[in-house]
Amino acid sequence: MIISKNWLNEYIDLSEFSGEQICEKLNSIGLEVDSHQKISLPPKIVVAKVESCKAHENSDHLHVCEVNVGLENLLQIVCGAPNVAEGQFVACALVGAVMPNRLEIKKAKLRGVESSGMLCSSSELGLPKINDGIMILDESIGKLVLGKELRDYDIFSDDIIEIELTPNRGDCLSIFGVARDLSAGFNIELKKINTKEKDNTNLGIGKIFALHATTKLKSSFLYKAIELKSPLNLDLKTNLRLAFINLESKNQIQKALDYATYETGVIFRAYDYAKLNSNEQKITFDIKELKSGACEIFLDKKSLGVAGVYQNKKIMPDDKSNLVLIEASYCDPVAVSIAICEDKSMPKDDLSYRTTRGSEPDIEFGSNLLFDKFFENKDDIAVYSGKQTLINEIQPKTINFSCIKNNSVSSVVGEEISKNDIANILKKLGFNLSFSGDQNQIIAKVPPYRHDINGIQDICEEIVRITGINNIKAKPLIFEEKSRLNQTYFKYKNAKNLRLKAAANGFFECVHYVFDNPSELENLGFDLCEVEILNPISNELSVLKPTLINHLLNSSERNVKNSKKSIKLFEYGEVFDKTGTQSSKFGFLVSGLQNEPSLLNTAKPQEVNFFYFAGLLQNILGKFELKKSTKNKFLSEFEQADIYQNGKKIGFLGRLNLSIGLKRDLPKTYVCELDFDKIIFEDAIAKEYSKFPSISRDLSLIVPKNLAYFQIRSCIDDLKINILKEFLPIDIYEDKSLGNNISLTLKFAFQDDNKTLQDEEIAQIMDQILDTLKTNLNIGLR
């Protein structure tokens, strides 16, 4: 988007600000400056009038002109421009002037005729090219005073600034839109522009044109008509500004529309009435809304184009056009974007870039400014009175927010912004504000041209960019977040820790379907889930699984078939009981050898056993108790147990029944399944350790084979000996001489936190333990 200080000055007084200050402000309010160019003409380039113009006697293209530059005598200047003519006001470079290309103007003879100066074209003055030949001056640039240097006219001493716009800032795709933002940025008022429709007694537009729509539209349309009495010639200011912004139009009508669109942001199109209606009868445009919300325009059921997207080129005016319809429109940018995306073959013109980003909704404002220019050329243009409209009154979005101290805006911005400052900035940006009864709430109605503002965050962004990010004090970054340590998080964390510990102990994780084989489950003795699967993957996966064990056994089978000797698997997943109630389980399996054969174990590793498996589980879970069980029919009745933590059952482990193992071609196999929600996860607590040495003692007891170890443990625990840190079985010995008894060796560890223990104290405690075991369980020393 290219803007100029001179053009902006028509809407906002920037005379006190330099081009550099304007660029700085544009950057601070989020309109990033891409380039800045100063326009300044050299001295001794003055306003002149061609008093006479005669053909050169010795040339077929040169002219000898008498030029008035406000001096006592006329200057004789030889000019080769094809458009030079008597009576014109032109730019004249006096003798001694140095042109932008460093050419110095001197007196010279051209084909024997003296020349004292040069009549200049726009390109010779370092300006964009606007025509073929010399630049013709008019009073659109200001009052023409002979001999006045051109650099004293604002348009020839200007700042041309190019800014980059983000796609949401369609409201700044016009001179007026940028001026509106600078008004807030500099905190100065916009100039009052009289945009009232002019009184007109000419023929009414209703005689030649009508507008029709069967439904309420999301778009707005306004039509006026003009008749060209003679070819339209735009003034120098208009042509020069169009050249600065690189707009090259095919004809004068299109130039005028492009200028008005660029200035106001309103979308204009023109129709050649004769091309629409060769019979010169009254015509009617029928506007139909597409599914997307965009509007297609029809005449006698023939499409003339989609508003805001494209126009049929055959009906556009040219330099020979006489009667022209002018259309001003506003289309919802979302509807236009959807229409373009839905129909990739739909043609698009340059205006679609504006409409998809959001054009100016106040089409009457833009139309009145455009027709003001036409009224200025009333000798060449007859404007039809009246207009034909279909206006969609856009309901503004409303955003409420607090404006008291530490208000919602200040909390987001990070700095206290007063209520008056907030109100002043938003009003300058076109927001309509009102306050709640207690004055603590601002009700902001978003201007219709800011379709990108939807919530308080957008309001805060507007406040920040107008206040200036550099004017907000920097503060240390503080991370503050609501605690998200809920039950779901802890469950995930605990499951992850168990999985990592299992992997660290040599287990490989399995992931299986949540469905299982009903016949295999029944063979293992599990009750099937009664919740029916309507569309199962296959007959082998037709029920919700009630256990992880079956899938682990199947995976173990596949590993055995792949010649694996040592198999350690685990799975964490969901299971479903008979009624369909879901719960989380952890399953473990070891099968075959404790390790794969290798040099370290002389290729003869030991077979897995109950205590080896229980030890691996203890490394993963921590301490637990085992109590004998015979409930699980798919496990060996001699090698299965329930697992307890703090007196609560959390699962089971045991050896796979030999008959089931043989059917599945499995070696010696042990499995375990834990109810995840019942596992106790406790943080490790660091305790002060004793500085005094520990003392250990062993006891070998004669114990009946049918006596459970937990009875011995309970009996000793009941003594509550403080200095007894731990005791555990370390050896079992069987011999025929012992009959129905075994020899069980227990190791005891004693330690006191405050002193070194004496042998006499340990002996007394050992006697106490032996007496208690003898009294309660009738067991004694071997």
Side-chain angles (χ1 to χ4, degrees):
M1 175 72 187
I2 300 174
I3 58 178
S4 80
K5 179 182 175 181
N6 176 262
W7 205 345
L8 288 169
N9 266 324
E10 295 187 4
Y11 293 96
I12 181 173
D13 186 3
L14 298 175
S15 56
E16 295 183 3
F17 301 97
S18 66
E20 289 74 16
Q21 288 175 311
I22 295 172
C23 289
E24 184 179 351
K25 181 58 69 175
L26 287 169
N27 280 322
S28 72
I29 63 175
L31 307 181
E32 184 179 350
V33 174
D34 190 52
S35 66
H36 174 210
Q37 177 188 3
K38 281 188 173 293
I39 301 298
S40 180
L41 297 191
K44 295 189 176 183
I45 310 291
V46 299
V47 176
K49 183 178 181 182
V50 180
E51 299 290 354
S52 68
C53 180
K54 298 177 181 179
H56 195 294
E57 293 180 355
N58 299 321
S59 174
D60 59 355
H61 69 281
L62 294 177
H63 299 85
V64 180
C65 304
E66 288 185 325
V67 179
N68 187 352
V69 294
L71 301 176
E72 186 175 340
N73 298 316
L74 299 178
L75 299 180
Q76 180 174 279
I77 298 176
V78 178
C79 178
N83 65 329
V84 65
E86 184 179 320
Q88 292 174 335
F89 284 89
V90 294
C92 178
L94 301 178
V95 172
V98 178
M99 305 301 287
N101 63 359
R102 298 184 180 179
L103 172 68
E104 183 179 352
I105 304 301
K106 300 178 181 179
K107 286 186 178 182
K109 277 190 177 183
L110 296 176
R111 300 283 179 92
V113 178
E114 288 190 357
S115 181
S116 300
M118 183 174 78
L119 304 186
C120 306
S121 68
S122 60
S123 56
E124 287 170 335
L125 295 174
L127 304 172
K129 181 179 178 180
I130 59 174
N131 63 333
D132 293 326
I134 59 173
M135 181 172 67
I136 310 301
L137 303 181
D138 59 45
E139 294 202 339
S140 65
I141 65 172
K143 184 174 178 60
L144 297 177
V145 179
L146 294 177
K148 183 177 179 179
E149 290 191 338
L150 288 188
R151 63 178 180 170
D152 293 335
Y153 290 89
D154 289 340
I155 198 166
F156 297 121
S157 182
D158 203 356
D159 290 270
I160 306 299
I161 302 168
E162 184 171 4
I163 58 176
E164 293 286 341
L165 295 175
T166 52
N168 65 307
R169 294 308 307 274
D171 61 298
C172 284
L173 280 172
S174 67
I175 298 296
F176 176 67
V178 176
R180 188 166 47 203
D181 254 31
L182 284 175
S183 168
F186 283 122
N187 194 23
I188 53 181
E189 295 291 336
L190 286 170
K191 293 180 179 179
K192 292 183 179 180
I193 307 296
N194 182 14
T195 59
K196 290 184 179 179
E197 188 174 1
K198 297 284 192 300
D199 293 332
N200 189 355
T201 58
N202 292 340
L203 182 67
I205 190 175
K207 296 286 186 180
I208 62 169
F209 176 77
L211 195 57
H212 176 260
T214 56
T215 58
K216 183 175 175 58
L217 305 176
K218 294 180 181 178
S219 304
S220 295
F221 295 89
L222 182 151
Y223 290 87
K224 288 188 175 185
I226 60 172
E227 184 177 354
L228 300 176
K229 301 176 183 178
S230 60
L232 178 63
N233 288 305
L234 299 178
D235 57 42
L236 174 61
K237 181 174 71 173
T238 300
N239 282 314
L240 200 55
R241 284 178 174 174
L242 288 171
F244 274 127
I245 62 176
N246 301 319
L247 273 180
E248 297 180 1
S249 306
K250 293 182 179 180
N251 55 70
Q252 295 295 303
I253 287 290
Q254 193 58 50
K255 273 188 177 183
L257 299 189
D258 288 344
Y259 183 91
T261 294
Y262 204 89
E263 184 173 45
T264 66
V266 174
I267 302 300
F268 289 101
R269 295 193 188 277
Y271 301 85
D272 188 320
Y273 194 83
K275 294 177 182 178
L276 291 171
N277 181 15
S278 58
N279 298 323
E280 297 186 0
Q281 296 175 349
K282 181 177 179 179
I283 63 173
T284 300
F285 278 6
D286 189 15
I287 300 181
K288 296 182 179 179
E289 194 165 80
L290 303 176
K291 185 179 179 182
S292 63
C295 293
E296 190 167 6
I297 303 168
F298 290 88
L299 174 62
D300 298 331
K301 298 183 180 181
K302 293 181 181 179
S303 176
L304 305 181
V306 175
V309 182
Y310 75 95
Q311 178 187 16
N312 189 329
K313 293 182 180 180
K314 295 180 180 180
I315 55 175
M316 295 174 68
D318 52 40
D319 288 329
K320 296 180 181 179
S321 298
N322 176 252
L323 181 56
V324 179
L325 278 176
I326 306 293
E327 171 193 277
S329 66
Y330 171 77
C331 305
D332 178 37
V334 175
V336 175
S337 299
I338 293 173
I340 292 173
C341 290
E342 287 181 345
D343 187 357
K344 301 294 184 183
S345 63
M346 182 184 294
K348 298 181 286 292
D349 58 25
D350 293 340
L351 290 180
S352 64
Y353 176 86
R354 290 177 170 272
T355 54
T356 53
R357 284 157 175 76
S359 59
E360 172 59 51
D362 189 356
I363 57 177
E364 289 201 21
F365 158 74
S367 177
N368 290 339
L369 282 180
L370 171 63
F371 277 80
D372 281 348
K373 284 190 174 295
F374 290 152
F375 277 111
E376 291 173 2
N377 293 277
K378 57 185 178 181
D379 293 336
D380 301 323
I381 300 174
V383 178
Y384 278 68
S385 64
K387 60 193 174 188
Q388 294 288 338
T389 61
L390 286 173
I391 304 296
N392 173 38
E393 295 294 339
I394 301 173
Q395 295 301 317
K397 290 175 282 190
T398 301
I399 301 172
N400 297 357
F401 56 92
S402 169
C403 60
I404 58 175
K405 190 173 182 180
N406 296 322
N407 55 68
S408 53
V409 172
S410 298
S411 63
V412 174
V413 172
E415 183 165 304
E416 186 65 29
I417 309 291
S418 70
K419 177 171 68 175
N420 289 339
D421 288 341
I422 293 172
N424 185 47
I425 290 171
L426 294 180
K427 284 180 179 178
K428 284 284 194 304
L429 291 172
F431 287 76
N432 190 343
L433 302 183
S434 58
F435 293 85
S436 60
D438 57 7
Q439 299 291 303
N440 291 334
Q441 287 277 329
I442 292 180
I443 300 97
K445 291 185 177 181
V446 181
Y449 51 80
R450 290 305 302 273
H451 66 277
D452 58 317
I453 294 180
N454 297 300
I456 183 62
Q457 292 82 3
D458 300 315
I459 293 284
C460 292
E461 184 180 349
E462 296 300 294
I463 301 296
V464 168
R465 72 184 186 86
I466 299 302
T467 301
I469 192 70
N470 294 330
N471 295 323
I472 296 175
K473 293 179 182 178
K475 294 180 180 179
L477 182 61
I478 299 174
F479 285 99
E480 292 182 345
E481 187 179 2
K482 181 180 178 181
S483 174
R484 303 184 188 278
L485 302 182
N486 51 30
Q487 194 59 39
T488 301
Y489 167 77
F490 287 118
K491 183 175 181 179
Y492 160 78
K493 182 181 177 182
N494 291 332
K496 183 178 180 181
N497 288 339
L498 280 186
R499 291 164 60 207
L500 291 173
K501 287 181 179 180
N505 280 273
F507 286 85
F508 289 87
E509 185 170 12
C510 296
V511 179
H512 299 110
Y513 283 114
V514 75
F515 313 113
D516 211 335
N517 189 317
S519 60
E520 291 179 354
L521 291 170
E522 287 175 339
N523 289 337
L524 292 175
F526 286 97
D527 293 329
L528 301 184
C529 179
E530 295 175 348
V531 178
E532 183 182 0
I533 299 173
L534 297 179
N535 188 23
I537 297 173
S538 65
N539 291 333
E540 288 75 23
L541 295 170
S542 58
V543 295
L544 293 169
K545 64 183 180 185
T547 179
L548 304 177
I549 299 297
N550 188 50
H551 276 312
L552 287 172
L553 291 174
N554 289 334
S555 291
S556 182
E557 284 185 61
R558 288 188 285 272
N559 277 272
V560 170
K561 291 175 181 177
N562 284 324
S563 302
K564 296 294 181 182
K565 303 298 182 185
S566 176
I567 302 168
K568 297 173 185 172
L569 306 175
F570 81 94
E571 181 179 9
Y572 170 60
E574 303 299 307
V575 300
F576 302 83
D577 65 12
K578 188 174 182 179
T579 61
T581 303
Q582 183 176 338
S583 60
S584 301
K585 300 280 187 179
F586 250 100
F588 296 88
L589 175 146
V590 294
S591 183
L593 304 177
Q594 294 183 11
N595 303 99
E596 290 289 339
S598 69
L599 185 63
L600 295 176
N601 52 41
T602 64
K604 294 181 180 179
Q606 294 184 5
E607 205 173 23
V608 294
N609 58 57
F610 186 89
F611 292 106
Y612 170 76
F613 186 38
L616 292 176
L617 294 176
Q618 190 174 50
N619 293 339
I620 298 169
L621 296 174
K623 290 185 177 181
F624 57 79
E625 294 181 61
L626 295 177
K627 294 184 180 180
K628 187 176 180 181
S629 172
T630 56
K631 296 178 182 178
N632 300 298
K633 302 302 180 183
F634 63 94
L635 298 179
S636 168
E637 61 178 310
F638 304 107
E639 290 187 85
Q640 65 169 295
D642 291 331
I643 303 174
Y644 285 78
Q645 271 189 338
N646 289 359
K648 294 183 179 179
K649 180 182 174 182
I650 63 170
F652 64 86
L653 68 84
R655 180 180 175 181
L656 185 66
N657 189 294
L658 184 60
S659 61
I660 296 176
L662 291 173
K663 287 180 181 179
R664 291 178 176 252
D665 294 326
L666 290 174
K668 192 175 183 181
T669 300
Y670 291 85
V671 294
C672 166
E673 188 168 72
L674 305 172
D675 189 332
F676 177 75
D677 293 324
K678 293 181 180 178
I679 299 174
I680 298 173
F681 297 94
E682 295 179 340
D683 294 332
I685 300 175
K687 295 181 179 179
E688 186 179 0
Y689 62 88
S690 175
K691 300 177 183 178
F692 301 95
S694 64
I695 297 175
S696 62
R697 292 288 187 271
D698 294 345
L699 280 181
S700 292
L701 304 170
I702 298 297
V703 179
K705 290 182 178 180
N706 61 357
L707 181 65
Y709 171 73
F710 80 89
Q711 292 180 268
I712 299 174
R713 185 175 187 87
S714 298
C715 187
I716 298 174
D717 284 340
D718 289 341
L719 294 175
K720 297 181 179 178
I721 302 170
N722 291 332
I723 62 172
L724 178 59
K725 298 302 180 184
E726 68 172 351
F727 64 95
L728 65 159
I730 58 173
D731 185 54
I732 297 175
Y733 173 73
E734 295 185 59
D735 191 83
K736 291 181 181 180
S737 62
L738 296 176
N740 292 326
N741 299 319
I742 59 170
S743 174
L744 175 66
T745 302
L746 300 179
K747 182 181 180 68
F748 296 84
F750 300 93
Q751 189 176 35
D752 195 296
D753 294 335
N754 301 311
K755 64 179 182 177
T756 301
L757 294 173
Q758 303 297 320
D759 289 341
E760 293 78 8
E761 294 176 88
I762 302 301
Q764 288 179 359
I765 294 173
M766 295 300 292
D767 290 341
Q768 182 186 1
I769 292 172
L770 284 170
D771 291 342
T772 302
L773 292 174
K774 185 67 176 178
T775 302
N776 295 337
L777 300 177
N778 194 29
I779 58 177
L781 287 172
R782 178 179 170 186

